[in-house]
Amino acid sequence: MAVVSKKNNYSAAGFTLVEVLVALFIFAIIASASTVALSSTLQSKEAIEERSEILTSLHLARATLKLDLLQSVIRPTRDAFGTYDNIGFNGIQNFPEEPFLKFVKRGWLNPAGISARSNLQAVEYYLAGSNLVRRTLLRPDPTEQTPSNERVLLTGIIGVNVEFLVDGVWQNQWFGDAFDDTRLPTAIALTLNSEEFGIIRQLFIVGGGKP
């Protein structure tokens, strides 16, 4: 008796080339969209962080100016050329690299009297290029060799304008009162032209006490 063997035929399951290409195309679109979204998110994050840093610098600069001016004192000084100032507080319109504010302040901490100095400190504010700079001097009566420390408070500053409130009237400069050397301006208005924020006008109360 003859035995007949039967061969089982299995149908092969899979994707056609067209289906594979369609799937790859859809995946590429999704990947591209995800990349764009991720890139946009990262750029937004960087912009927010940069903006936050600029705002923080602005607030810190204002706080520094506020504290300095509140602690300003009437203290006669001499400059490096021996020129005498009977008040020690000067303010003029801004000139490149020249201080638009110069004064003496108290409150310079000297824990346990480690340094051979008083708690008075000479402070200057000036515009160097597009940087608002605060300079402090080791002594209120500086010489050309007096050490100084400079710190950039703000960048991107196009211009600076300073005004002084005296007897209820705003004036553009202050070199002391020829008739009264016991007082300083009541307040100062500082106007900054910022590349980031435009025109910023801030008001500060001046201390004016005795050291």
Side-chain angles (χ1 to χ4, degrees), residues 108-138:
W108 190 15
L109 298 180
N110 188 11
I114 295 176
S115 300
R117 59 170 175 79
S118 70
N119 70 334
L120 298 179
Q121 187 178 40
V123 181
E124 298 178 350
Y125 283 88
Y126 69 97
L127 196 63
S130 61
N131 296 329
L132 178 63
V133 181
R134 177 182 185 263
R135 176 194 292 141
T136 55
L137 305 173
L138 183 62

Side-chain angles (χ1 to χ4, degrees), residues 70-129:
L70 278 176
Q71 293 180 323
S72 61
V73 296
I74 298 173
R75 196 278 196 183
T77 61
R78 293 184 185 274
D79 62 19
F81 303 100
T83 303
Y84 182 75
D85 183 350
N86 65 335
I87 291 183
F89 190 110
N90 291 331
I92 60 176
Q93 291 298 321
N94 180 53
F95 295 98
E97 308 295 331
E98 291 293 329
F100 58 84
L101 274 178
K102 298 170 63 176
F103 55 91
V104 177
K105 64 178 285 288
R106 60 175 175 263
W108 190 15
L109 298 180
N110 188 11
I114 295 176
S115 300
R117 59 170 175 79
S118 70
N119 70 334
L120 298 179
Q121 187 178 40
V123 181
E124 298 178 350
Y125 283 88
Y126 69 97
L127 196 63

